[in-house]
Amino acid sequence: MKWNIFRLKKLDKDEENKLKKKIFEIIFEANTPYGRLFDLSLLLLIILSVALVILESVPTFNARYHTFLVVSEWLITILFTIEYLLRLYSVQKPLRYVFSFYGIIDLLSILPFYFGIFFPNSKYLSSIRILRLFRILRIFNLTGLTQNRNILLRSLQQSKDRIIVFLSFVILIVVVLGSFMYAIEKNHPESGFTSIPISIYWAVVTMTTVGYGDVAPVTGLGRFLASIIMILGYGIIAVPAGIMSQEIARASKENDHIPTNTDVCRYCGDNYHLDNSIYCKTCGHLLNP
């Protein structure tokens, strides 16, 4: 009797594991018919949802179609919520998924709508759902663009350290020059340099060549310093673009070695594997058989 009960429980557990694997294959994989169909449906829902949030912010459109917009947003959010719960159910380590990059984006895509019940203005933050399109990049496999996607991702990965160092250097320059400008212009209230944070804000706006004009130096020395910052701005804007261009060119030359595999590991969530990989390169578990 005990053996029969144990065997029944084992069968139930096996059936549950099969169900989890099937759900995982549909939701996380893109190289199966159902996986592609799911990705296409998710892509359309994301675009539709963001469009509805944008249209709801238009007073005339919202007044005319308010009920339709609200009902549609509820239906789409419920679908996204079910999808998020299924993702948690199908992975081997739910907490790892929750705190992963895509897991955080998936959660943030549904929270603003529920917060909107208590804080009405927060529902407009639901447009963050468009970030979920990063996940749908894998659907490029349908049109043969996966390799180009991986070239871009590899270029970003290879150049991130240099870009971070460069941006850190830019932040230091902005703080120093903003502080200098405050020291020069603080005795002239009409210039708008009322504090160091305001001066740093001005330095950022000037260095990026945006130039709002809400704060501007009035002294000769201040205008001279502003001219230097403007000239620096042109060079600073070009550096990150140059770094990325160099990495993209290098990756393009090596594109024969860039994989187009879209398999996602059910245990650790790694989704960047070599073509024809059988096991996950990060945790060693078997990939989708």
Side-chain angles (χ1 to χ4, degrees):
M1 183 68 177
K2 290 182 178 179
W3 170 253
N4 289 334
I5 293 174
F6 174 76
R7 188 175 180 183
L8 182 61
K9 288 182 178 179
K10 186 176 181 180
L11 287 174
D12 291 341
K13 192 175 181 66
D14 290 341
E15 289 297 323
E16 183 181 4
N17 285 333
K18 288 181 180 179
L19 177 62
K20 285 184 177 181
K21 287 181 180 179
K22 188 63 179 178
I23 293 173
F24 182 88
E25 180 182 319
I26 293 173
I27 293 179
F28 283 91
E29 297 292 346
N31 53 2
T32 63
Y34 289 116
R36 295 185 186 117
L37 179 61
F38 178 83
D39 276 353
L40 283 172
S41 303
L42 187 60
L43 175 65
L44 293 175
L45 276 178
I46 292 170
I47 294 174
L48 178 60
S49 173
V50 174
L52 290 174
V53 172
I54 294 172
L55 290 173
E56 190 176 355
S57 67
V58 180
T60 54
F61 194 91
N62 186 30
R64 189 171 182 179
Y65 301 103
H66 180 73
T67 303
F68 169 76
L69 291 172
V70 171
V71 172
S72 299
E73 265 299 295
W74 267 107
L75 289 175
I76 292 174
T77 303
I78 289 172
L79 289 175
F80 282 155
T81 304
I82 294 173
E83 180 224 354
Y84 181 76
L85 294 176
L86 287 175
R87 288 183 186 275
L88 287 176
Y89 174 74
S90 62
V91 296
Q92 288 292 333
K93 297 181 179 180
L95 282 179
R96 178 171 287 184
Y97 163 71
V98 169
F99 293 105
S100 67
F101 174 74
Y102 288 121
I104 292 173
I105 288 179
D106 292 342
L107 182 60
L108 290 178
S109 70
I110 59 178
L111 285 182
F113 185 83
Y114 292 119
F115 286 153
I117 299 173
F118 307 101
F119 309 100
N121 288 334
S122 65
K123 66 180 180 180
Y124 296 112
L125 297 177
S126 295
S127 58
I128 198 175
R129 288 173 182 170
I130 201 168
L131 294 177
R132 299 199 66 196
L133 293 179
F134 281 121
R135 183 194 295 279
I136 312 302
L137 282 175
R138 63 184 184 163
I139 207 171
F140 283 170
N141 191 48
L142 299 175
T143 56
L145 297 178
T146 304
Q147 195 170 51
N148 291 328
R149 177 204 67 176
N150 289 341
I151 287 175
L152 180 59
L153 292 178
R154 175 174 287 189
S155 300
L156 288 171
Q157 185 178 15
Q158 294 294 333
S159 59
K160 67 178 182 180
D161 292 338
R162 281 180 287 172
I163 291 177
I164 289 173
V165 170
F166 171 75
L167 290 178
S168 301
F169 177 70
V170 171
I171 291 172
L172 294 176
I173 291 178
V174 165
V175 171
V176 171
L177 294 180
S179 300
F180 270 107
M181 185 60 75
Y182 173 71
I184 296 170
E185 298 287 335
K186 68 176 182 178
N187 294 326
H188 302 273
E190 68 276 15
S191 65
F193 292 91
T194 56
S195 65
I196 290 181
I198 293 294
S199 301
I200 293 173
Y201 155 77
W202 170 85
V204 172
V205 170
T206 303
M207 188 168 287
T208 55
T209 70
V210 175
Y212 288 125
D214 52 343
V215 182
V218 295
T219 65
L221 184 58
R223 289 172 178 171
F224 175 74
L225 182 59
S227 300
I228 294 176
I229 296 176
M230 292 174 195
I231 294 172
L232 285 175
Y234 285 106
I236 285 173
I237 290 173
V239 171
I243 293 173
M244 275 298 299
S245 298
Q246 181 183 7
E247 290 299 332
I248 290 175
R250 181 183 301 173
S252 297
K253 291 180 181 178
E254 303 171 354
N255 61 2
D256 291 338
H257 306 289
I258 295 178
T260 59
N261 194 328
T262 59
D263 285 338
V264 180
C265 179
R266 187 165 167 238
Y267 294 84
C268 70
D270 190 354
N271 63 345
Y272 191 82
H273 299 95
L274 296 176
D275 292 334
N276 302 319
S277 294
I278 300 175
Y279 298 96
C280 174
K281 72 178 191 307
T282 301
C283 65
H285 281 90
L286 184 68
L287 294 174
N288 184 33

